[in-house]
Amino acid sequence: MADPFLSIQHVRKSFGATTVVEDFNLDVERGEFVSFLGPSGCGKTTVLRMVAGFEEPSAGKIVVGGKDITRLKPNQRNVGMVFQAYALFPNLTVAQNIGFGLKVAGMSKADIDVRVAEMLGIIKLPQMADRYPYQLSGGQQQRIALARAIAPKPKLLLLDEPLSALDAKVRVSLREEIRSIQKKLGITTIFVTHDQEEALSISDRIAVMYGGKAEQVGTPFEIYNRPATKFVANFVGTLNVLEGTVTDAASGKVRVNSEEVLLKGKLNGSKSGDTLSLALRPEAISLGRQPGRDSSLSGEISEVHFLGSVIRVRVGIGGNTVSLDTFNSPATPPPAVGEKAEISFSSSDMLVLH
Amino acid sequence: MKAGRFWSWVVFALGAAYFFIPLIATVEFSMRMRRGVYSFDAYKVVLGDARFQATFGYSVLAAIFTIILGVLIVVPAAYWIRLRLPQLRPVVEFITLLPLVIPAIVIVFGYIRMYGSNSPLPFLATDTGTNALLVIGYATLALPYMYRAVDTGLRTIDVRTLTEAAQILGAGWGTIITRVILPNVLIAVLSGAFLTFAIVIGEFTMASLLNRPAFGPYLQNIGANRAYEPAALAIIAFAITWGCMSLIQILSRFAPKSANRPN
Ligand SMILES: Nc1ncnc2c1ncn2[C@@H]1O[C@H](COP(=O)(O)OP(=O)(O)OP(=O)(O)O)[C@@H](O)[C@H]1O
Ligand SMILES: [Mg+2]
């Protein structure tokens, strides 16, 4: 990335004695869609509010398009923002809400009307211009809020958990709509969420945050398949964790419940006798020996949940339980609790959590 | 449940009687100026009295200035406290309640001592100064009502998020207050204004001790010296107050509805 459009550099934020954001760094390319993902209280909103100008960083710098905006007031930044609580102006109609930023910028009435109509078309609510916010559903209000934010053609679009107040179905359809509008307009976007599925499904890249720091920044594929830290591995997706002991560090042999698996080149620096946490995604495990899977462990089936197209099976292996999904096949009945079973996987899919 | 219903009606009837009997008696008495028949003579006398017109006009003017002063002080203050200094709210609420606890007479004596003609701030040396002082005093008396009305209005909107939404769209403070905050609390401000009006119109202590030609002292003067006119005046004053209250009710129908309903 030679020339990032938005660059957040060594930003720190303290409220009194407590530091809530620490040495936060992120470069975002023009037109990119980046999500901040993390548990409640990890500082996502705080970073976003510093980009918007509502909070001033205690240290560090925020650069947009080559210009340092760290000390600029929010109304001088030309940034669009969508809030979790909709925040439409209750005394203004939908059209007046969308036109608010344009009017403040001094655009003529005729030009405002044209732009508002265009925005209403983009969010697919052309017939709503004269309604008041209280006459709209939550999903409609949030689309209007999106239209209001992008109407003045901001350099950056910031969304702080815009979908969390909506019900599940609307949430999914609106997130896809946000993504497609963002792509169409090519607007650089930061999207805050604590919903991993949301982040994984619509982002170009994700910054996983924890304790005020960016633990890992990467594409959804990287974040999910190659988590850089234990926290990322645990926070994103479901993980099966197995305890293992290194028996031969040189050849990569690890003992798990009296059986051995070979983890070549994954032990970086562990010595023989060390205990390790080994993790596997449910989808990397199959029941029974399968061609192409180089490792296996034996155990006993402890739970079976028939969910329709998938069957979720939990297998006890020594003191650990591993959960995996198999597809339902009408010809074979599901495994029974108490049966002996073998699970197989590729050692390359195994994550070693340090 | 029948007994409970019965007793609640009894209590309601007693309350209504307590309220309406003196009122009806006053109305009835005010119409007996002409011997033997009911007439509006007392009202004619009162409304035709030049002093009534002068003092009423004076008090209306004082009320208008009081409302302007109150709005200019209370709206920005209440807004700022909600936005930036929420920890100060209990303190400010307590301060705004003080005028209810401290008798007006104490305030006036304080004024007379502090702003006398040979004090550094001789408000009382001129007529205009005294009028200004009266308006300031009235604004203090109306503060509990004005502040509460505006604060309640602000509570119905998400002040902080709306302010931020406007800011990020490029608005400055002037635009935010006039286009976002004020329109959403206008009804609350108006109800505060009508309460202020009702208080100022009948106020006696301050006007009398500052020797202002206001409606309150006139009411008192007539009350002490006449028979039927005070009853007519009381009814007129009552009608004005109730008119104000009804206007508040009517206006509150037009309040912008809150959009943040859960779905
Ligand atoms: N104005 C403030 N004063 C003091 N502490 C604050 C302030 N704003 C935020 N914090 C603290 O900073 C931390 C991070 O808050 P932030 O709102 O950024 O979290 P978040 O990641 O957005 O969480 P959520 O998912 O719950 O919205 C929290 O512990 C919060 O208590
Ligand atoms: Mg947040």
Side-chain angles (χ1 to χ4, degrees), chain A residues 15 20 39-46 161 194:
Chain A
F15 293 105
V20 298
S40 188
C42 69
K44 307 179 294 285
T45 298
T46 307
E161 306 203 19
H194 57 241

Side-chain angles (χ1 to χ4, degrees), chain A residues 49 52 54 74-75 79 81 83 85-92 100-101 103-104 133-134 136-138 141 148 152 165, chain B residues 157-158 160-173 175-176 179-180 183-184 256-261 263:
Chain A
R49 289 173 60 80
F54 295 128
N75 57 5
V79 163
M81 184 151 174
F83 300 81
Y86 316 142
L88 295 178
F89 305 122
N91 57 312
L92 302 181
F100 188 92
K103 190 163 172 183
V104 166
Y134 75 89
L136 303 173
S137 73
Q141 285 189 54
R148 180 180 68 176
Chain B
I157 57 174
D158 183 347
R160 195 176 118 158
T161 316
L162 288 184
T163 301
E164 289 179 349
Q167 268 179 322
I168 204 77
L169 287 165
W173 291 115
T175 312
I176 293 173
R179 290 206 55 212
V180 177
N184 284 301
K257 300 197 180 47
S258 171
N260 296 340
R261 65 201 160 110
N263 56 325

Side-chain angles (χ1 to χ4, degrees), chain B residues 27-167:
Chain B
V27 171
E28 199 264 355
F29 184 70
S30 72
M31 293 167 67
R32 289 214 310 217
M33 197 176 198
R34 193 178 300 174
R35 203 170 295 267
V37 283
Y38 285 135
S39 72
F40 288 101
D41 284 8
Y43 293 88
K44 276 189 207 122
V45 172
V46 166
L47 294 173
D49 184 353
R51 278 184 309 154
F52 169 85
Q53 290 156 11
T55 55
F56 191 73
Y58 179 89
S59 283
V60 168
L61 206 61
I64 291 170
F65 279 111
T66 306
I67 288 165
I68 293 171
L69 182 65
V71 169
L72 286 180
I73 293 171
V74 170
V75 173
Y79 170 61
W80 202 250
I81 286 161
R82 282 221 163 243
L83 188 65
R84 290 290 153 83
L85 305 165
Q87 69 278 16
L88 268 188
R89 259 190 68 202
V91 180
V92 173
E93 242 164 48
F94 176 73
I95 291 173
T96 62
L97 281 179
L98 284 180
L100 290 182
V101 185
I102 300 171
I105 195 159
V106 174
I107 300 177
V108 184
F109 275 120
Y111 283 169
I112 291 172
R113 290 199 59 148
M114 281 203 53
Y115 304 119
S117 19
N118 37 17
S119 73
L121 274 172
F123 267 109
L124 296 173
T126 62
D127 238 22
T128 320
T130 314
N131 289 338
L133 198 60
L134 183 71
V135 165
I136 293 168
Y138 281 168
T140 313
L141 286 187
L143 193 60
Y145 307 98
M146 193 57 130
Y147 180 81
R148 231 136 289 260
V150 172
D151 196 50
T152 308
L154 288 173
R155 187 177 317 155
T156 62
I157 57 174
D158 183 347
V159 170
R160 195 176 118 158
T161 316
L162 288 184
T163 301
E164 289 179 349
Q167 268 179 322

